[in-house]
Amino acid sequence: MTDPTTNSGDPGASPSLGELLGEVSRDLSTLFRQEVELAKAELQDSAKRAGRGAGLMGGAGVAGHLAILFLSLAIWCAIGYLIGLAWSGVIMTVLWAVIALVLFSSGRKQLKTVRGMPDTADTLKKIPETIKEAGTSND
C-alpha cells in the first residue's frame, strides 16, 4: 500500500501543492471546529458563574428592600421608645447599610470568579505563529 499524500507509488516523491493545500485546509477546518467547541464550553461555565453572581446581587437588593421596609419600622419604633424616634431612625439606617454592603460584597466576589474564555483566547493567539512556523519549515 502507498502513502496517499504522494503523487505516485514512488516513496521518494513529494506530495503535490494541491494535496498539501488540501491537507492544510482540512487541518485548519478541524482546528477551528475544536476552537468553537472549546469556546462553547467556556461560555457555558462563565454564564453559570455570572448567573449565580447576578442572582446574589438581585437577592441582596430584594433582601435589602424588604428588610428596610419591615424590620426597620419595627425596630425603629422599639428603639424610639428608649432614645427617641430621630436617633433610632439613624441607628436603623446604619445597620441596614452595613447588611446591604455585606450582601453586595458577596455578590461582587462571586462575579469576580467568572473566567471568560482564557483557554480559547490563548489557543487563538498561537494559530498565527503555528501557521508562520509551518510555512517557514516547508521552504
Side-chain angles (χ1 to χ4, degrees):
M1 209 188 258
T2 62
D3 185 8
T5 61
T6 59
N7 260 349
S8 63
D10 183 15
S14 63
S16 71
L17 180 59
E19 290 171 334
L20 288 174
L21 287 176
E23 187 177 327
V24 168
S25 175
R26 282 189 303 276
D27 290 346
L28 282 175
S29 177
T30 300
L31 176 65
F32 284 119
R33 275 195 303 270
Q34 290 172 345
E35 287 302 315
V36 166
E37 290 302 316
L38 176 60
K40 285 180 185 178
E42 287 182 319
L43 281 174
Q44 286 177 347
D45 182 55
S46 292
K48 286 178 186 177
R49 291 177 184 271
R52 282 189 210 117
L56 285 171
M57 298 293 274
V62 170
H65 176 72
L66 292 175
I68 289 170
L69 182 62
F70 296 110
L71 293 176
S72 290
L73 288 173
I75 297 172
W76 178 42
C77 287
I79 296 174
Y81 286 119
L82 299 174
I83 61 172
L85 290 176
W87 283 110
S88 64
V90 171
I91 291 170
M92 291 309 303
T93 301
V94 170
L95 175 68
W96 291 118
V98 169
I99 291 171
L101 181 63
V102 168
L103 290 172
F104 175 80
S105 128
S106 296
R108 184 173 178 210
K109 186 177 182 180
Q110 179 68 34
L111 286 174
K112 285 185 177 185
T113 65
V114 175
R115 293 183 31 209
M117 301 185 308
D119 296 335
T120 300
D122 185 46
T123 305
L124 288 175
K125 288 177 187 175
K126 294 177 183 177
I127 290 174
E129 296 170 8
T130 305
I131 292 173
K132 286 179 187 176
E133 289 173 9
T136 56
S137 66
N138 288 337
D139 291 340

